[in-house]
Amino acid sequence: MKEVFDEIAESWYRVRHHSRFKRELEEIAQRWCGGRLLNIGCAHGPDFLPFRYGFELWGLDFSKEMMKLAQKYADKFDFKANLVIADACFLPYRENTFDWVVSVATYHNIAGREARRGAFSELKKVLKPGGEAFITVWNRWQPRFWFRGKELKIPWRLKDKTVYRYYYLFSYRELKGLATGAGFEVVKIFPEKSYRGLLKNFSQNICLLIRKPA
């Protein structure tokens, strides 16, 4: 999987140059105000931008090419982030290290139920008591995936070939259950702000705000 993201990193940097969750992240930044923040699966770094001021920024991704571009992105937008190559399932930090965590479009790339459970346990480990995390994943019940199952290979076209990324599609109920099973309190679970449908269950993304009990 990491090899695929190494391959697509340059084109990802160009196409995904700004966060699709800008509005959501700006609201979260206002809610949190400041502190030590970890970005899990930060890719090339666009989700850092709303947290440039007042936060101590840390980020990780398992793709070394994405990490190179994250440093380039930080230099371009004049912010500092402590970046490491690491996996969401094995966070290289001590317990109770971070005030806050964001993770945009990362947990749905983790294959295997136990691996996903382990990733949420790792998240809880590194958060301080009372700390919160904002997470987004793709929704199983968005209309384009109704007849395709929970596990997919999503294509990304390069100049000379097409590569495929693994996605596990969550329902609202399953994501909430994964969080509570790991010991988190669910503050809010909701669709992305750009969603205009009447029923949240059919949104493209699921946004989750959770808290580690104090």
Side-chain angles (χ1 to χ4, degrees):
M1 185 66 172
K2 66 181 66 176
E3 292 79 10
V4 171
F5 279 91
D6 282 341
E7 282 193 88
I8 71 175
E10 284 287 349
S11 58
W12 190 275
Y13 182 85
R14 294 192 300 270
V15 175
R16 300 279 194 266
H17 204 63
H18 295 281
S19 177
R20 291 186 168 187
F21 295 90
K22 180 176 181 288
R23 292 165 60 195
E24 290 87 350
L25 293 170
E26 287 176 346
E27 286 190 4
I28 291 294
Q30 291 178 1
R31 175 185 176 90
W32 292 343
C33 296
R36 179 177 287 187
L37 179 139
L38 175 64
N39 187 342
I40 297 176
C42 65
H44 63 280
D47 302 310
F48 280 122
L49 288 184
F51 304 97
R52 281 182 293 175
Y53 307 112
F55 291 85
E56 180 184 325
L57 302 179
W58 296 70
L60 66 85
D61 198 283
F62 66 2
S63 165
K64 64 180 181 179
E65 296 302 321
M66 287 289 191
M67 287 288 86
K68 292 177 184 177
L69 293 170
Q71 187 58 62
K72 177 180 177 180
Y73 196 88
D75 293 342
K76 176 178 179 178
F77 287 96
D78 194 26
F79 66 88
K80 183 181 184 299
N82 302 280
L83 302 171
V84 298
I85 300 170
D87 194 301
C89 295
F90 304 99
L91 299 178
Y93 308 106
R94 295 181 178 179
E95 293 183 8
N96 307 326
T97 298
F98 296 99
D99 300 294
W100 321 110
V101 173
V102 296
S103 185
V104 172
T106 294
Y107 288 95
H108 58 214
N109 294 134
I110 298 174
R113 179 181 299 177
E114 290 306 313
R116 290 187 289 272
R117 287 176 177 171
F120 268 72
S121 293
E122 286 286 289
L123 169 59
K124 186 183 178 189
K125 179 191 77 175
V126 302
L127 261 179
K128 294 178 181 179
E132 293 181 348
F134 173 74
I135 294 166
T136 79
V137 296
W138 277 14
N139 180 14
R140 164 73 177 90
W141 297 111
Q142 55 182 294
R144 62 175 171 154
F145 294 139
W146 280 357
F147 305 106
R148 297 186 61 185
K150 285 186 173 183
E151 294 183 281
L152 299 176
K153 294 295 182 71
I154 303 296
W156 184 274
R157 292 175 178 81
L158 300 171
K159 289 182 179 180
D160 56 347
K161 64 178 178 179
T162 299
V163 296
Y164 294 86
R165 300 161 288 152
Y166 172 86
Y167 276 68
Y168 179 84
L169 306 181
F170 288 89
S171 67
Y172 279 82
R173 180 178 180 181
E174 184 177 10
L175 184 62
K176 183 176 181 180
L178 186 61
T180 57
F184 286 103
E185 300 169 356
V186 174
V187 178
K188 187 178 180 182
I189 186 166
F190 56 101
E192 67 274 23
K193 288 185 175 295
S194 60
Y195 178 63
R196 294 293 177 261
L198 296 177
L199 298 175
K200 75 173 187 179
N201 286 345
F202 299 151
S203 63
Q204 179 178 343
N205 297 279
I206 304 172
C207 300
L208 177 69
L209 181 62
I210 54 179
R211 179 184 299 123
K212 180 176 175 177

